[in-house]
Amino acid sequence: MRILVVEDDKDVAGFVLKGLREAGHTVEHADNGRDGLFLAASENFDAIILDRMLPGGIDGLRLLETLRAQDNATPVLFLSALSQVDDRVKGLKAGGDDYLTKPFAFAELLARVEALTRRGKSDGPTTKLCVGDLEMDLLSRSVRRGTQKIDLQPREFRLLEYLMRHAGQVVTRTMLLEGVWDYHFDPQTNVIDVHVSRLRQKIDKPFELPLLHTVRNAGYMLRAEEV
Amino acid sequence: METTPLSEAESGARAVQEAATPREPRRKGKPLIRSTGIRFAVTYALVFGLSAFTLAFSLWYSTVGLLQRQVQFAILNDATALNEHYQIGGLPSLINAIHSRLTDSGDSDGIYLLLDPLGNHIIGNLDQWPAGLNRINTWYELPVTRKGTRSISLLRAYTLSGGEQLLIGRDVSARAQLRGVMRDALLWALGLMIFLGLLGAVLIRSMFRRMMRDISTTTRAIALGDLTRRIPKHGNGDEFDELAEIINDMLERIARLMDGVRQVSNAIAHDLRTPITRARTRLEDAALHAHTKEDLQLAVERAMLDLDGVVGVFEALLRIAEIEAGSRRSAFAAIDLAPMLRDIDELYRAVAEERGLILDTRIDEPLPLLGDRELVQQAIANLLDNALKFSATGTTIRFTARVEEALIEICIADRGPGISEEDRSRATERFFRAESARSTAGSGLGLALVAAVAQLHNGTLRLANNNPGLRAIITLPARRG
């Protein structure tokens, strides 16, 4: 994937660039708003990682608003030290697709950026999701693995749906909290782990090949092949 | 080189000392008019004097004017009557009428003079036509000589149809005297009133200064750091008492905020230093002593966890500060808490079952609230986190929500160790951790956030004994309609 990083802090930018390249992405970097806007508007990217506060007269919000005004729908993830609730709301209102506050774990950033690009691609309405022999019918809201029907609670269904939509990608605990429960804070209790392990009981326990994997220090991943 | 900063420091100290003695409210060399007290007093004296003057002047004007109008009216009546005599009976009848008026002792103030067209005296009590009276049908106030004495008279002249000239008048010297007496009396009264006005002004100024002194001494002492000072009240409930009360309330709030800041900075110094020190130690230890790459990796990961903890504390602190500032109120919306609470219940139920706890939930609906969904969500999650953390396996956690008398009451009660009576009031302070809780994980910010959220919604957080365990009750005003 081709990713643009607009970030003025040299250390953070270097760290993010290195990490993204290691993960196999092509990366461009701009250290101010003006260059960032020029790059974003003139070239094609799969995703943009954008700092809110930037030098060069154009801050992150202005940059994004300008970009969206030109009908550029490239997914944008805000990476900002502004952590108040209003700041996040403002960022999303301006056309941002996700908002991550600094300091952050790289695994979280990578997972979110990869999730964004996936979201950008599958725009058409899907009625069926498949991972290996696991099938989810979104219309009849039923799940089966192989020939066996699996009964899920409504919330378990939504959890699995989220995981299946991001199959092959790392999904972090906070992504699940936000995406499935619409929670924007971290509970002290390991609530997500408990729910995921219950789901795992239902979809993996009776079968030979596990689909739902735990990725150390990051989160979870649903995929058919062995990690 | 060394003496200059020293003397500067000394003079600075002196300046502080001078400011610390708030005895002289008006500094030397300040123009008198810049004193609000003086301005107040002068304004008072001016207003008082002006109104006194207006009163005196209108009294004088209306009294004297009335007398004048009465005399004029009498003269005009007289003229009409005499003219009728002349019209009906001719000159002899007129002479007769004037004669009878002159000899009639009833009206000794009357002045009459009738001259023939050549200017010869026909009848009248004046020897000659008064000098200066040369227009007819006009009011004159002139000195005339009557029976050898001069006196002030109000006069009006008429020309009769036969060419005779008739002068009618009234002696007004008595009235002029009365006017003089009245003027003198009013001038005296005015003088007295001005004196009283000035006296009042001085009194007002000293009163003003006394009130100001109370306030200015107190506020100056507070500005210098003595936050315990309060403005004394006089107890009569007047405006100054009201002002004193308002200022005292403000001071109370400032003192509380200062306490909060002090607490937080102490806590930061204390509670954040610990994990930062731990992380630093780990890294340094690894840098010095790690022999394998794995050791190093492990130390770095542990240090990262410690730093994540520090970030978490920071975020919680900022969140609480954001809530306490009240700016989130602008984002309040009409919401129903019931579905949101059921979601939380569902989220935590799995954890409770995992740990062998019973979560006994009863949520009434609807639970209408004007508020911030996300904040209430976080507050309830904090309380459930706590309840789960401190509950022993096999015990029950009660989670209830209901509306009663326009109040939404959300209660989470556990059977854990609870919080002792003396700690309960301090449990919502930032970073406070009861002795029994020190061994468990946590930042000591959870309940502080819950209390802040409740307060933001004009509600309360109450902690009570659940015999055994803790009962945390959030009360929020329900949305009407």
Side-chain angles (χ1 to χ4, degrees):
Chain A
M1 286 193 307
R2 215 168 122 72
I3 299 169
L4 173 64
V5 178
V6 188
E7 164 69 63
D8 63 313
D9 187 306
K10 278 197 177 58
D11 290 331
V12 175
F15 169 60
V16 171
L17 292 175
K18 202 161 75 186
L20 289 174
R21 284 196 187 112
E22 272 171 17
H25 302 296
T26 320
V27 195
E28 292 285 332
H29 173 229
D31 64 358
N32 65 70
R34 204 172 294 276
D35 295 351
L37 182 58
F38 176 75
L39 273 173
S42 58
E43 295 182 32
N44 273 325
F45 291 98
D46 296 303
I48 300 172
I49 296 173
L50 185 58
D51 190 8
R52 276 277 304 263
M53 288 179 291
L54 289 169
I58 300 177
D59 70 354
L61 276 186
R62 283 261 314 273
L63 194 160
L64 179 58
E65 279 162 359
T66 316
L67 209 57
R68 291 290 185 253
Q70 296 171 359
D71 286 335
N72 186 327
T74 312
V76 167
L77 178 133
F78 271 116
L79 187 61
S80 171
L82 300 172
S83 66
Q84 298 205 332
V85 182
D86 285 345
D87 296 323
R88 195 186 69 221
V89 171
K90 241 183 249 170
L92 298 183
K93 261 195 191 145
D97 299 271
D98 203 351
Y99 200 100
L100 188 61
T101 52
K102 292 178 190 172
F104 58 95
F106 183 75
E108 184 79 38
L109 177 70
L110 184 64
R112 280 171 183 264
V113 169
E114 289 183 345
L116 273 190
T117 54
R118 173 60 61 92
R119 193 199 293 178
K121 275 174 200 161
S122 61
D123 253 353
T126 30
T127 56
K128 204 166 197 177
L129 298 170
C130 295
V131 176
D133 55 350
L134 184 67
E135 278 181 26
M136 172 179 272
D137 189 331
L138 290 170
L139 293 178
S140 65
R141 300 195 77 74
S142 62
V143 177
R144 56 174 62 247
R145 185 161 180 192
T147 53
Q148 195 172 331
K149 192 172 183 303
I150 299 171
D151 282 323
L152 293 178
Q153 303 287 322
R155 186 73 64 178
E156 289 169 339
F157 187 89
R158 282 180 60 187
L159 179 58
L160 183 60
E161 181 189 336
Y162 191 93
L163 287 166
M164 289 182 85
R165 282 186 187 278
H166 296 96
Q169 298 175 346
V170 175
V171 172
T172 64
R173 289 171 180 83
T174 35
M175 283 166 74
L176 289 175
L177 266 174
E178 288 175 14
V180 181
W181 278 272
D182 194 21
Y183 277 31
H184 296 273
F185 57 91
D186 286 323
Q188 286 178 46
T189 320
N190 58 340
V191 278
I192 294 301
D193 293 345
V194 174
H195 282 269
V196 170
S197 90
R198 290 189 155 203
L199 182 66
R200 182 178 277 151
Q201 291 285 322
K202 290 193 175 174
I203 64 167
D204 273 353
K205 191 71 185 286
F207 303 95
E208 204 174 308
L209 181 75
L211 293 175
L212 187 44
H213 308 276
T214 303
V215 183
R216 198 169 155 267
N217 285 339
Y220 300 97
M221 188 193 286
L222 194 70
R223 61 188 280 178
E225 313 88 60
E226 230 22 274
V227 183
Chain B
M1 279 298 275
E2 272 182 320
T3 53
T4 322
L6 194 70
S7 69
E8 253 174 32
E10 259 180 4
S11 71
R14 211 177 302 125
V16 169
Q17 256 181 359
E18 273 166 19
T21 49
R23 230 180 40 75
E24 186 64 69
R26 195 162 56 78
R27 286 189 197 91
K28 263 186 190 163
K30 190 166 149 186
L32 211 57
I33 198 64
R34 295 245 326 259
S35 148
T36 311
I38 293 278
R39 276 208 306 266
F40 229 70
V42 166
T43 312
Y44 171 81
L46 272 177
V47 169
F48 187 81
L50 205 67
S51 52
F53 179 78
T54 311
L55 175 74
F57 184 77
S58 63
L59 205 65
W60 185 83
Y61 181 82
S62 60
T63 314
V64 170
L66 179 72
L67 290 176
Q68 184 86 357
R69 276 194 302 281
Q70 265 182 349
V71 173
Q72 286 174 351
F73 190 66
I75 290 173
L76 289 176
N77 271 351
D78 218 1
T80 316
L82 288 177
N83 197 36
E84 270 170 20
H85 276 286
Y86 182 74
Q87 295 295 330
I88 297 164
L91 195 59
S93 173
L94 177 63
I95 293 171
N96 233 347
I98 293 175
H99 184 74
S100 74
R101 276 170 169 70
L102 286 175
T103 49
D104 191 7
S105 58
D107 189 4
S108 60
D109 288 341
I111 290 168
Y112 302 93
L113 182 61
L114 184 63
L115 299 181
D116 67 11
L118 298 174
N120 294 317
H121 188 279
I122 300 174
I123 191 169
N125 53 0
L126 287 189
D127 301 331
Q128 56 187 18
W129 194 260
L133 200 161
N134 31 33
R135 279 196 287 170
I136 57 161
N137 277 329
T138 311
W139 293 110
Y140 284 92
E141 196 167 320
L142 293 168
V144 294
T145 312
R146 186 169 55 122
K147 293 171 201 158
T149 52
R150 278 173 72 83
S151 60
I152 302 287
S153 299
L154 188 65
L155 302 166
R156 196 173 169 98
Y158 298 92
T159 305
L160 301 178
S161 47
E164 296 88 353
Q165 305 237 16
L166 176 63
L167 181 71
I168 306 172
R170 287 290 185 276
D171 186 334
V172 291
S173 50
R175 274 143 207 172
Q177 252 172 24
L178 179 71
R179 195 163 63 186
V181 168
M182 225 171 111
R183 190 187 55 217
D184 288 352
L186 286 177
L187 278 177
W188 273 108
L190 200 64
L192 203 65
M193 277 190 258
I194 288 171
F195 173 71
L196 283 176
L198 287 175
L199 196 69
V202 170
L203 276 175
I204 280 194
R205 174 166 181 246
S206 70
M207 213 160 81
F208 195 81
R209 276 177 65 173
R210 210 174 55 239
M211 302 292 187
M212 285 298 115
R213 197 166 52 228
D214 283 347
I215 296 175
S216 61
T217 19
T218 311
T219 45
R220 195 165 300 162
I222 282 165
L224 287 169
D226 181 6
L227 273 172
T228 57
R229 291 285 287 272
R230 291 296 176 268
I231 295 166
K233 290 208 288 181
H234 301 283
N236 47 9
D238 62 4
E239 286 86 349
F240 276 97
D241 264 14
E242 215 171 285
L243 181 66
E245 202 167 310
I246 292 168
I247 295 179
N248 284 346
D249 282 353
M250 184 185 79
L251 293 175
E252 207 66 49
R253 171 123 179 94
I254 291 176
R256 262 207 312 278
L257 289 174
M258 290 285 289
D259 259 5
V261 170
R262 202 170 303 133
Q263 255 181 46
V264 169
S265 41
N266 284 348
I268 286 176
H270 209 262
D271 291 64
L272 288 180
R273 202 179 275 268
T274 316
I276 291 174
T277 309
R278 213 183 302 140
R280 198 193 175 285
T281 316
R282 252 193 249 287
L283 289 172
E284 189 172 0
D285 184 48
L288 291 177
H289 303 115
H291 296 298
T292 62
K293 196 166 174 281
E294 284 71 36
D295 280 359
L296 205 60
Q297 184 89 26
L298 199 68
V300 168
E301 272 172 22
R302 285 234 186 101
M304 263 160 55
L305 277 183
D306 286 333
L307 289 176
D308 281 349
V310 173
V311 170
V313 170
F314 260 121
E315 248 155 39
L317 270 178
L318 289 175
R319 200 39 123 65
I320 293 171
E322 188 191 357
I323 295 166
E324 281 182 347
S327 59
R328 298 287 300 149
R329 277 208 189 100
S330 56
F332 272 15
I335 47 171
D336 182 6
L337 284 185
M340 189 267 274
L341 292 179
R342 275 200 301 274
D343 277 357
I344 299 184
D345 170 60
E346 183 251 7
L347 182 67
Y348 279 87
R349 180 165 296 275
V351 184
E353 282 167 11
E354 198 84 355
R355 298 189 185 178
L357 296 164
I358 300 148
L359 187 57
D360 180 10
T361 307
R362 250 164 243 163
I363 294 164
D364 290 358
E365 62 184 318
L367 300 170
L369 177 79
L370 183 69
D372 189 313
R373 180 175 166 276
E374 209 169 290
L375 290 180
V376 179
Q377 204 174 40
Q378 187 167 4
I380 305 296
N382 277 6
L383 291 179
L384 282 171
D385 275 334
N386 277 352
L388 286 171
K389 193 160 69 181
F390 292 110
S391 286
T393 311
T395 58
T396 304
I397 297 170
R398 276 182 193 285
F399 176 21
T400 57
R402 63 202 171 115
V403 189
E404 205 162 275
E405 288 168 11
L407 286 177
I408 297 174
E409 194 187 276
I410 304 165
C411 175
I412 290 160
D414 63 51
R415 293 284 180 195
I419 301 177
S420 68
E421 184 77 47
E422 59 265 28
D423 283 348
R424 231 174 275 150
S425 59
R426 295 190 55 210
T428 55
E429 288 175 11
R430 293 179 184 87
F431 293 113
F432 177 82
R433 305 202 65 198
E435 278 310 317
S436 55
R438 292 231 175 249
S439 53
T440 55
S443 59
L445 289 168
L447 285 178
L449 185 129
V450 179
V453 169
Q455 206 162 37
L456 181 78
H457 290 82
N458 291 323
T460 55
L461 165 69
R462 201 150 44 86
L463 301 174
N465 197 345
N466 200 30
N467 293 318
L470 180 71
R471 178 195 289 270
I473 305 139
I474 297 181
T475 319
L476 305 171
R479 173 167 48 89
R480 264 174 263 258

